[in-house]
Amino acid sequence: MNSARQHHPSRSPGLGRVLVSGASISGLTTAYWLTRYGFDVTVVEIAPQLRPGGHALDVRGPGLEVAERMGIAATLRDRGTNLAGISMVDASGQETFRSTESTLTGGQLDSPDIEVMRDDLCQVLHEAASDSVEYIFGDSITSLVQDESGVDVTFTAAGPRRFELVIGADGVGSGVRRLAFGPDERYVRVFGDMHISVFSTPNFLGLDRWQVIHTQNEPYLGALVMGLRKDAPAKVYLGFSDPASADYDLGDVDGQKRLMAKRMADAGWVIPQFVEHMMDADDFHFYRLSQVRMDSWSRGRVVLAGDAGYAVSLGTGQATSVAILGAYVLASEVAAHRDDPAAGAIAYENELRDYATRHQDTALEYDSRPGPTSDGEPSEAGSDTLPDFGSLTLPFHLKDYSALVRP
């Protein structure tokens, strides 16, 4: 695996070297704030570049307040999905329900929240901090050895380095978590039976700021397609419910595509066309609803952020905001405890744990509800099951950390 450095800024001695694993939403947000506080930040990302594709994500509540403090909220609104509504169709393509008040991915359209595609959000975060951060793409951490003053890190491709703090922001399958805390089975909790994939396809339905969904029961499976512009690719979600399909190789994308194609073999509407395009998609993602539950998010000078430490679940529309908020609190508390980063990690957990846990508990209850179906009367098809994510947002008092910002 080749190591590529996107940017290597001049170094300021004595400010503290921090390694962030993962150019994720939490990783990029953490990197931004650490540089604002005067730290010397390196981000290592296993992918050769910012990861393409991904879901439509929601920035709301405290996450939106952090975006405002970063000065990126207006840009996110400009790049938002700006959807106008959703239709549900039966197997023949006949519309059974329509709403111009909410969507399945974003909730109520008249809310102040921002729905934005994951790759657009990461690009905005990357642009906000790229002049001050060193990026190492196409590489990953292979070992962490810490002592009282720092952490010795080895990489797959780059030479060994030493940092005062290592932050794992590398998702549910975090490599940093495995190295510092132990195997995934101790912390990753799969719940529900839903298996979901998301990828881009040609917008052959000609959708413009619109979603269309088709689902069927026994077994439950379905598709959601979202087109933001007629002249741009559409985003497709395929999903099926089956408790017996829990085992799959996270690294075998072709195998995941074959599994999804097999499950969708008898689906109606235009799902067979989606499956054909899926097989060639280069931005395919596959996952099962899960959370990460841990007794502690830090081990000395190694600390976890976002999904790596407290994955909530995509189903409640809060995961992105919790990740952004968590990254901000982590960077800020580390800055507030500059001479003792381990104490900063503990202070971060004390600030955030109750908030993250309450969102996780809500997700367990909310994601267990049955999804909308495209059969039957319109009230059954959508009006009672389209989400109001704003009602699930919990309040959080953000401290004023502005005095920590370095000129």
Side-chain angles (χ1 to χ4, degrees):
M1 187 176 294
N2 295 324
S3 174
R5 296 175 187 269
Q6 177 172 309
H7 185 71
H8 197 318
S10 59
R11 296 303 186 187
S12 301
L15 293 180
R17 295 177 297 276
V18 181
L19 175 65
V20 177
S21 178
S24 59
I25 293 163
S26 59
L28 293 169
T29 304
T30 304
Y32 169 88
W33 283 108
L34 286 173
T35 60
R36 292 293 307 278
Y37 298 140
F39 288 89
D40 182 359
V41 181
T42 298
V43 174
V44 60
E45 165 58 48
I46 192 171
Q49 59 188 5
L50 291 180
R51 293 176 183 268
H55 297 270
L57 302 176
D58 305 308
V59 183
R60 53 174 48 93
L64 188 55
E65 185 175 347
V66 173
E68 295 281 3
R69 294 187 182 189
M70 297 175 72
I72 63 172
T75 303
L76 292 179
R77 290 193 188 280
D78 289 342
R79 300 194 189 184
T81 61
N82 298 309
L83 290 170
I86 185 172
S87 298
M88 294 185 181
V89 298
D90 61 20
S92 67
Q94 181 69 35
E95 187 175 274
T96 62
F97 173 79
R98 166 179 289 248
S99 174
T100 56
E101 297 179 355
S102 62
T103 65
L104 193 62
T105 59
Q108 299 296 312
L109 297 179
D110 60 357
S111 77
D113 307 331
I114 301 173
E115 183 182 52
V116 61
M117 302 308 297
R118 184 192 184 280
D119 46 7
D120 286 332
L121 175 55
C122 285
Q123 186 63 45
V124 170
L125 293 170
H126 178 259
E127 291 169 357
S130 61
D131 289 341
S132 304
V133 176
E134 176 190 16
Y135 289 92
I136 305 176
F137 285 103
D139 208 345
S140 60
I141 299 171
T142 56
S143 72
L144 300 167
V145 179
Q146 62 175 303
D147 54 36
E148 292 182 358
S149 62
V151 186
D152 292 315
V153 182
T154 60
F155 301 89
T156 301
R161 303 269 290 272
R162 184 172 175 83
F163 299 88
E164 278 71 55
L165 182 68
V166 174
I167 296 172
D170 44 352
V172 173
S174 170
V176 169
R177 190 185 63 236
R178 283 194 293 271
L179 288 172
F181 296 84
D184 290 352
E185 52 264 30
R186 294 182 184 175
Y187 310 110
V188 179
R189 303 288 183 265
V190 173
F191 64 94
D193 300 333
M194 284 302 299
H195 301 69
I196 300 170
S197 64
V198 58
F199 52 92
S200 297
T201 74
N203 189 0
F204 59 84
L205 295 177
L207 301 179
D208 186 11
R209 299 172 55 226
W210 199 262
Q211 292 182 346
V212 182
I213 183 173
H214 168 70
T215 62
Q216 65 186 54
N217 287 319
E218 298 180 4
Y220 184 89
L221 58 83
L224 170 72
V225 56
M226 177 169 58
L228 304 185
R229 299 195 318 272
K230 289 183 178 180
D231 60 349
K235 190 72 65 176
V236 171
Y237 300 74
L238 297 179
F240 65 87
S241 177
D242 186 350
S245 300
D247 294 329
Y248 57 88
D249 185 349
L250 288 172
D252 183 8
V253 173
D254 289 338
Q256 295 164 12
K257 288 181 177 181
R258 290 192 297 271
L259 172 61
M260 185 60 67
K262 179 180 179 180
R263 293 293 177 169
M264 295 290 154
D266 297 324
W269 190 40
V270 295
I271 291 179
Q273 291 173 258
F274 292 151
V275 170
E276 289 182 15
H277 292 295
M278 176 192 72
M279 302 307 293
D280 297 324
D282 59 6
D283 61 349
F284 175 89
H285 297 271
F286 182 82
Y287 67 95
R288 191 172 183 185
L289 293 180
S290 60
Q291 293 184 342
V292 174
R293 298 268 189 160
M294 306 184 69
D295 293 334
S296 175
W297 301 336
S298 64
R299 288 285 189 274
R301 291 175 177 264
V302 179
V303 58
L304 303 175
D307 285 354
Y310 40 89
V312 175
S313 169
L314 293 174
T316 59
Q318 308 298 326
T320 300
S321 297
V322 173
I324 291 173
L325 172 63
Y328 175 58
V329 174
L330 170 57
S332 301
E333 291 296 338
V334 167
H337 299 78
R338 187 176 297 269
D339 296 331
D340 189 350
I346 293 172
Y348 143 71
E349 184 165 350
N350 290 339
E351 283 288 315
L352 192 71
R353 175 170 284 279
D354 179 66
Y355 184 80
T357 301
R358 284 189 293 149
H359 270 303
Q360 289 182 318
D361 292 343
T362 299
L364 287 178
E365 177 181 357
Y366 190 82
D367 285 345
S368 66
R369 305 186 319 167
T373 59
S374 303
D375 303 319
E377 297 299 320
S379 61
E380 296 176 0
S383 60
D384 295 336
T385 53
L386 287 178
D388 179 9
F389 293 132
S391 66
L392 302 177
T393 304
L394 300 174
F396 184 89
H397 174 68
L398 277 174
K399 290 183 179 179
D400 182 4
Y401 296 105
S402 58
L404 299 173
V405 174
R406 296 291 179 94

